């Protein structure tokens, strides 16, 4: 049976006799009520009373099912407790309310939800990022395996036929309902290859193989592709898919860290890999790209992004996503990428194509498919806590992109020309 990482259990939850003396838990309810008053969402308690929120009966509605447990989790670990409360069943979306729709108003007000008088306590409640998740050569392998080696069958159950686990790119001149996810993922792949100038005869390095679809598309253009991954599960299936496409002579799949690659490449592509690199290693990552890029070559990365202010505010604190989904991960800002490349490499950002709303659509389709396929996923050994973990993860991220709190872009990098 596959389970999610262990939930935090504050001492007050482990030892009920201490609950009357837990000051943090007593403070959690009025603080949560103050936050809820700033978002148009109804929140009901087990006795039918409402805790702050909207007066509109048609507003999205959340139900707190186990108040004591939820308040204690949030009191001790605010950035982790909300998600773990969902995992544990302390709260949920009321019937008729979609979870992402209920989270959207909070995502839209992320910077203003906490009253100013309480915001100053952020440093007190923030948790430091564990050193065990550092992206050293060994740490990166462990972090990647924790997510991507869950099983290929899990990802096959909810991804499209391309097995692309990154934002699709939809044609906004056409109705979204007419576009399949597979079509939009293929468009994303072609756009990345176009950005990097991949053509017949190109020597291509892909950092982060996924399940091989981008490598296959590049090889079909006539390129010679080296693609690297730290996931054994991904590498195995990618090799099978590449061989089935008749392209094994054009694509080499390696279990290798980006810091271990040697050679020269005309194009380097990396789709939603930088988020797993870790801030400490961004200079190393971009220096590796710089060193491996042949004269006149182009790099194209697709990256999830957040505003620079939010990146600075969250870069040192430990959140639910880092604990339960992507250990060692950190989302950069465009400015952080620009500053890192300018300080440590000869690379410069020369263009960026942003399409964050397309990620919201992608995530909703993944979540719908995940829930639809849950009987199959469950039969493969995944438990109910895992289901709730992934349902919250996909809905939470969808709300972030729909609100504009998160973004995604394809970024072109070229060497600075010195005159």
């Amino acid at each position: 049976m596959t389970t999610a990482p262990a939930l935090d259990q504050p001492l007050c939850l482990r030892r009920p006799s201490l609950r009357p003396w837990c000051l943090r838990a007593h403070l959690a309810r009025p603080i949560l009520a103050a936050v809820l008053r700033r978002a148009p969402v109804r929140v009901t308690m087990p006795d039918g009373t409402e805790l702050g929120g909207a007066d509109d009966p048609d507003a999205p509605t959340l139900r707190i099912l186990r108040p004591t447990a939820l308040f204690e989790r949030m009191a001790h670990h605010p950035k982790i407790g909300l998600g773990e409360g969902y995992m544990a069943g302390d709260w949920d979306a009321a019937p008729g309310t979609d979870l992402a729709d209920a989270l959207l108003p909070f995502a839209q007000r992320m910077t203003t939800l906490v009253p100013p008088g309480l915001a100053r306590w952020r440093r007190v409640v923030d948790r430091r990022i564990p050193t065990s998740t550092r992206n050293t050569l060994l740490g990166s392998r462990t972090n990647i395996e924790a997510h991507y080696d869950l099983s290929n069958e899990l990802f096959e159950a909810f991804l499209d036929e391309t097995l692309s686990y990154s934002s699709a790119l939809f044609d906004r001149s056409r109705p979204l309902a007419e576009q399949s996810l597979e079509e939009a993922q293929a468009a994303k792949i072609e756009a990345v290859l176009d950005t990097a100038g991949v053509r017949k005869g190109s020597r291509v390095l892909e950092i982060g193989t996924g399940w091989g679809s981008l490598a296959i598309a590049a090889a079909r253009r006539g390129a010679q592709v080296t693609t690297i991954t730290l996931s054994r599960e991904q590498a195995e299936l990618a090799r099978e898919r590449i061989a089935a496409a008749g392209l094994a002579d054009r694509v080499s799949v390696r279990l290798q860290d980006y810091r271990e690659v040697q050679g020269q490449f005309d194009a380097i592509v990396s789709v939603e890999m930088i988020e797993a690199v870790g801030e400490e290693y961004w200079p190393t990552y971009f220096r590796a790209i710089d060193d491996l890029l042949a004269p006149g070559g182009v790099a194209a990365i697709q990256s999830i992004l957040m505003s620079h202010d939010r990146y600075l505010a969250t870069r040192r604190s430990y959140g639910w996503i880092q604990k339960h989904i992507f250990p060692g991960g950190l989302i950069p800002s465009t400015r952080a990428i620009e500053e890192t490349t300018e300080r440590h490499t000869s690379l410069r950002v020369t263009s960026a194509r942003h399409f964050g709303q397309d990620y919201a659509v992608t995530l909703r389709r993944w979540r719908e498919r995940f829930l639809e396929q849950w009987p199959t996923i469950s039969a493969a050994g995944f438990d109910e806590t895992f289901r709730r973990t992934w349902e919250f993860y996909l809905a939470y991220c969808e709300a972030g992109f729909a609100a504009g709190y998160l973004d995604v872009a394809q970024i072109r990098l070229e060497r600075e020309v010195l005159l």
Side-chain angles (χ1 to χ4, degrees):
M1 181 69 69
T2 301
T3 62
L7 277 65
D8 280 329
Q9 295 287 355
L11 186 60
C12 298
L13 277 180
R14 300 196 303 271
R15 298 178 60 183
S17 62
L18 295 179
R19 286 177 185 167
W21 310 102
C22 183
L23 179 60
R24 286 191 176 212
H26 286 298
L27 292 174
R29 177 168 176 153
I31 291 173
L32 183 58
V35 169
L36 293 174
R37 283 194 291 270
R38 293 168 175 256
V41 176
R42 299 178 65 222
V43 180
T44 64
M45 300 289 281
D47 62 2
T49 60
E50 295 190 4
L51 188 64
D55 296 326
D56 181 0
D58 295 324
T61 303
L62 298 176
R63 302 186 302 180
I64 296 179
L65 305 174
R66 294 200 289 261
T68 299
L70 178 61
F71 295 154
E72 288 177 357
R73 292 185 205 280
M74 293 191 66
H76 288 270
H77 306 299
K79 293 186 66 175
I80 294 175
L82 180 67
E84 293 198 341
Y86 192 85
M87 293 165 60
D90 297 340
W91 67 277
D92 67 8
T97 292
D98 178 79
L99 180 58
D101 291 345
L103 294 175
L104 177 59
F106 298 103
Q108 290 170 327
R109 297 161 176 80
M110 189 68 75
T111 60
T112 59
L113 275 176
V114 179
L118 297 174
R120 68 170 65 102
W121 294 98
R122 180 188 184 96
R123 292 183 180 180
V124 176
V125 299
D126 268 355
R127 299 180 65 182
R128 300 287 292 181
I129 299 172
T131 57
S132 60
T133 63
R134 288 182 63 231
N135 285 294
T136 60
L137 283 169
L138 177 60
S140 287
R141 292 179 187 274
T142 302
N143 290 338
I144 291 297
E145 289 169 357
H147 188 87
Y148 293 96
D149 281 356
L150 287 167
S151 86
N152 287 329
E153 291 73 22
L154 165 67
F155 292 98
E156 287 176 313
F158 74 90
L159 298 179
D160 68 284
E161 291 300 313
T162 70
L163 291 183
S164 295
Y165 189 41
S166 52
S167 180
L169 180 62
F170 291 90
D171 181 351
R172 289 292 172 164
S173 68
R174 298 166 49 205
L176 292 175
E178 294 179 2
Q179 301 175 60
S180 70
L181 189 54
E182 181 179 3
E183 177 186 2
Q185 291 289 11
K188 179 272 301 296
I189 290 169
E190 296 301 327
V192 171
L193 297 177
D194 287 345
T195 300
V198 175
R199 54 189 179 274
K200 184 175 181 179
S202 294
R203 297 166 295 170
V204 177
L205 171 65
E206 180 187 21
I207 303 175
T209 304
W211 287 273
S213 286
L214 189 147
I216 289 170
R220 284 177 174 158
R221 291 190 177 198
Q224 198 68 36
V225 184
T226 298
T227 180
I228 62 171
T229 180
L230 296 178
S231 167
R232 294 184 182 278
E233 290 263 346
Q234 285 188 330
E236 180 180 347
L237 184 53
R239 290 188 183 111
E240 292 177 8
R241 299 179 73 228
I242 290 163
L247 295 167
D249 61 328
R250 288 193 170 276
V251 182
S252 171
V253 180
R254 300 179 185 174
L255 271 171
Q256 190 174 37
D257 191 279
Y258 67 90
R259 289 162 284 197
E260 301 171 319
V261 179
Q262 296 181 343
Q264 290 281 279
F265 301 90
D266 304 303
I268 298 177
V269 292
S270 187
V271 176
E272 294 183 28
M273 157 67 187
I274 187 175
E275 303 88 345
V277 169
E279 181 183 36
E280 178 184 2
Y281 294 97
W282 287 345
T284 306
Y285 172 77
F286 285 112
R287 274 198 301 265
I289 293 175
D290 197 10
D291 292 342
L292 294 167
L293 205 58
V298 176
I301 67 170
Q302 181 167 310
S303 175
I304 297 172
L305 302 165
M306 63 170 57
S307 72
H308 196 64
D309 287 346
R310 296 312 301 158
Y311 150 70
L312 292 175
T314 61
R315 60 199 282 257
R316 301 297 187 198
S317 63
Y318 189 49
W320 183 87
I321 288 283
Q322 292 162 307
K323 178 179 178 182
H324 290 281
I325 305 296
F326 294 113
L330 181 68
I331 296 171
S333 65
T334 300
R335 180 174 163 186
I337 292 174
E338 291 173 339
E339 290 180 351
T340 302
T341 53
E342 289 171 5
R343 289 173 183 170
H344 301 280
T345 75
S346 65
L347 300 173
R348 299 294 180 268
V349 173
T350 56
S351 69
R353 179 180 188 176
H354 296 258
F355 52 106
Q357 290 302 309
D358 288 9
Y359 219 149
V361 178
T362 302
L363 284 154
R364 177 157 294 222
R365 295 196 184 185
W366 285 346
R367 181 164 55 96
E368 290 172 349
R369 181 72 172 164
F370 178 86
L371 295 175
E372 176 186 306
Q373 292 296 310
W374 177 248
T376 300
I377 297 169
S378 176
F382 294 90
D383 67 8
E384 182 64 13
T385 301
F386 184 90
R387 182 192 70 78
R388 294 183 68 87
T389 300
W390 274 61
E391 181 184 14
F392 183 77
Y393 151 54
L394 295 170
Y396 178 82
C397 292
E398 178 190 334
F401 284 101
Y405 180 80
L406 297 175
D407 194 8
V408 67
Q410 291 181 356
I411 299 170
R412 180 181 172 101
L413 295 161
E414 300 173 81
R415 285 203 181 91
E416 184 177 34
V417 178
L418 299 177
L419 299 179

